[in-house]
Amino acid sequence: MSVLSFSLSPEATAKLYECLICLAKFGESVALEARKDKLTITSLNLARTAYASFSFDAEIFFINYDLNSSSLPKGGDRFTCQLYNRALQSVFKGRASDGRGRDGAIDRCDVTTQDQVDRMACRLIVKMLCKHGMTKTYRLTYEPAEVMHALFDKASASQGWRISSRIMREYIEYFGAKTEQLNIEAQADKVVFTSFTEKIQDGNQVLKQPLETVIALHTEDFEDFHMQEDMHIIISVKDFKAIVTHAETLHTPLSAHFSFPTRPLQFSYQSEGMNCHFTLMTMGDYRAASATPNPQWISTRGSSRQPSVAPPTQMTRSASEMPPPARPVTLPTSKPPSSQQQRKPLKPASQQTVAHEPEQDEESLFMPVGDDDRAWGPVADQDEEEEEMLGWDATHEARESAPYPTFRDSGRTTSSMKQQQTSGSAFSPSGLEPTQRLSQLHGMFD
């Protein structure tokens, strides 16, 4: 009694064979699950770290598709079985090139399943209807089995990207043949794919040499990209090559969805009546990626980066709110301090300003005005505290007209001038101060 029967065109037969080649990279056997609306072929590796699934739409992919619900177990809505992949490849091998634009070797492929109670072996019968009335029949043995599916929640996968499979196929050719793992990382508007193999050493003997190949792609090469910066997602190179190679045969873009390291990653792409999904286990530092307080994002969705800190307007005041710089304190010119008695009252005032220092504004760009500014100047001697304020006389006027003692560019100090005034001795013609530097004198031939 036939439980499942369907027919394939030459093009669909070639696509089915390519799917079997891809599934062979994941496991030795394949599982078939037939429902009313679709046929699903899956494969799970022995370590259960990689899952591949191909779903074929019943109305689009097949010429005709029929699932006999009366032959199903009571209360069941699907038919499941398991076969060896190599056996199926041997049946469909050689038909892939015949169905691509040339006169194919077959006109149609009919597949039926027979589950007879009086016989111990269950058969999958494949008939290749060729031209000129020739028919090739293959009978394969299958066994009933429960199909396991990998669950993946796309709603929790906030990160991902999509790229042309043709572009990715060109770059994976540079990956070393002996590399085992692939690290995916986003860095400053580019994506770095690093295929590597760790060194394995037993004492002095090196069992496996380390290998590493780094390829960088700009985010503009992706149709869509959104990934946390400096986050490492590590998968198997062998699985990634098999996925990209098969996606390139269908000429469809490849999409990736993931959340954080050690969480599942899913590759997916679609073709006419066929949906392909691959769920892989990932490695990496989950704590470092998920515990980042303000992660940076490299994305082509709207803005290129998401801000990790608050805007500057919230942290600092604007330039219009900043206080203006304080004016420097100058001594009055009407009554200059000519004696120490007039200067002594200034000392307690300076001590009082130090004791009652105004509060400093941490956000201000200017230093507070006060006697603390003297701490930034050179240390003065005790003798200099009794001297008058010094200034620069650039008018060449008499010293008597100046409001306070000045000195010219002669190196003379005010203390030496005081000694001459207190001695009462007048300046002699030979003791007059020079009014000009020697360097300022110019002769006829200078």
Side-chain angles (χ1 to χ4, degrees):
M1 182 182 297
S2 176
V3 180
L4 174 66
S5 61
F6 56 86
S7 300
L8 300 170
S9 63
E11 294 78 9
T13 304
K15 291 182 178 180
L16 180 60
Y17 175 71
E18 292 169 353
C19 292
L20 294 175
I21 295 177
C22 181
L23 291 173
K25 306 293 183 180
F26 295 88
E28 296 180 355
S29 61
V30 295
L32 274 68
E33 181 183 25
R35 295 179 181 268
K36 280 290 185 179
D37 56 344
K38 64 180 179 180
L39 174 66
T40 304
I41 304 177
T42 62
S43 181
L44 182 66
N45 63 353
L46 295 177
R48 296 187 177 182
T49 58
Y51 168 82
S53 172
F54 294 93
S55 298
F56 307 96
D57 189 88
E59 297 181 357
I60 300 176
F61 189 80
F62 302 97
I63 298 176
N64 56 69
Y65 180 87
D66 181 40
L67 177 63
N68 190 0
S69 57
S70 61
S71 301
L72 297 176
K74 184 178 293 187
D77 59 348
R78 61 176 184 168
F79 168 76
T80 60
C81 65
Q82 186 174 353
L83 299 91
Y84 281 105
N85 195 341
R86 289 186 177 180
L88 284 174
Q89 288 189 44
S90 62
V91 173
F92 294 95
K93 185 178 181 180
R95 276 75 180 179
S97 59
D98 294 338
R100 294 184 177 179
R102 299 187 303 177
D103 294 335
I106 62 173
D107 293 334
R108 190 176 75 251
C109 175
D110 296 337
V111 180
T112 58
T113 59
Q114 292 182 356
D115 187 9
Q116 298 178 1
V117 182
D118 56 346
R119 295 184 181 181
M120 297 184 61
C122 300
R123 298 291 183 180
L124 177 70
I125 302 175
V126 181
K127 293 183 178 181
M128 299 291 180
L129 303 181
C130 305
K131 291 184 177 182
H132 309 294
M134 185 187 308
T135 302
K136 297 181 180 179
T137 306
Y138 303 88
R139 292 180 173 85
L140 306 178
T141 303
Y142 70 88
E143 59 180 358
E146 288 294 332
V147 180
M148 299 181 63
H149 297 283
L151 300 179
F152 184 82
D153 186 12
K154 284 189 176 182
S156 61
S158 59
Q159 306 183 53
W161 44 263
R162 184 172 67 252
I163 191 174
S164 172
S165 58
R166 180 185 59 82
I167 296 177
M168 187 59 65
R169 175 63 186 274
E170 295 177 358
Y171 284 102
I172 65 172
E173 298 295 335
Y174 296 99
F175 293 158
K178 296 183 179 181
T179 55
E180 298 177 351
Q181 297 177 349
L182 177 65
N183 178 31
I184 305 175
E185 180 185 5
Q187 296 179 355
D189 298 334
K190 66 179 180 180
V191 188
V192 180
F193 293 86
T194 306
S195 63
F196 65 96
T197 298
E198 296 180 352
K199 182 179 180 180
I200 299 178
Q201 187 173 359
D202 185 9
N204 297 329
Q205 183 180 5
V206 179
L207 302 180
K208 186 179 295 185
Q209 294 289 345
L211 298 174
E212 182 175 330
T213 304
V214 180
I215 297 175
L217 278 74
H218 199 275
T219 54
E220 294 181 355
D221 296 334
F222 291 80
E223 300 178 4
D224 178 71
F225 189 86
H226 183 75
M227 184 176 177
Q228 181 178 335
E229 189 175 9
D230 297 332
M231 187 184 71
H232 298 267
I233 294 287
I234 303 176
I235 59 176
S236 172
V237 174
K238 176 184 175 182
D239 299 340
F240 185 71
K241 283 185 175 181
I243 296 170
V244 174
T245 302
H246 181 263
E248 197 272 335
T249 59
L250 300 177
H251 308 285
T252 59
L254 176 65
S255 300
H257 304 274
F258 53 90
S259 56
F260 293 104
T262 69
R263 296 290 182 88
L265 179 147
Q266 187 177 82
F267 291 104
S268 62
Y269 49 91
Q270 295 78 30
S271 183
E272 297 180 359
M274 182 169 55
N275 296 324
C276 311
H277 299 279
F278 303 86
T279 305
L280 308 179
M281 183 197 72
T282 63
M283 294 182 293
D285 192 357
Y286 171 76
R287 295 181 180 178
S290 60
T292 305
N294 295 316
Q296 293 284 348
W297 298 88
I298 299 178
S299 176
T300 58
R301 303 172 184 175
S303 59
S304 59
R305 287 176 181 261
Q306 297 182 0
S308 59
V309 296
T313 56
Q314 300 178 2
M315 301 297 296
T316 59
R317 297 185 299 180
S318 61
S320 61
E321 298 178 356
M322 291 185 179
R327 297 179 179 178
V329 179
T330 58
L331 295 176
T333 58
S334 59
K335 294 182 181 181
S338 59
S339 63
Q340 296 181 1
Q341 295 179 357
Q342 295 178 354
R343 295 181 58 201
K344 285 183 179 179
L346 296 176
K347 291 185 178 180
S350 64
Q351 295 177 359
Q352 185 177 0
T353 56
V354 175
H356 301 281
E357 182 180 359
E359 296 182 1
Q360 298 182 4
D361 189 3
E362 297 179 357
E363 298 179 353
S364 178
L365 297 178
F366 305 98
M367 297 295 296
V369 179
D371 292 340
D372 290 343
D373 294 340
R374 298 179 181 178
W376 298 95
V379 180
D381 299 335
Q382 296 180 357
D383 298 338
E384 296 180 358
E385 295 180 359
E386 298 180 357
E387 295 181 357
E388 299 296 340
M389 181 178 176
L390 302 180
W392 184 270
D393 184 14
T395 59
H396 298 282
E397 296 179 357
R399 286 192 296 272
E400 290 78 6
S401 62
Y404 46 81
T406 62
F407 70 95
R408 298 180 187 272
D409 190 11
S410 59
R412 295 285 300 275
T413 59
T414 310
S415 59
S416 61
M417 296 169 59
K418 282 184 178 181
Q419 294 177 2
Q420 294 180 3
Q421 292 177 0
T422 54
S423 61
S425 61
F427 288 99
S428 61
S430 61
L432 292 176
E433 293 183 2
T435 60
Q436 214 172 8
R437 285 186 175 182
L438 294 177
S439 59
Q440 297 177 353
L441 297 178
H442 300 280
M444 182 181 300
F445 301 101
D446 292 343

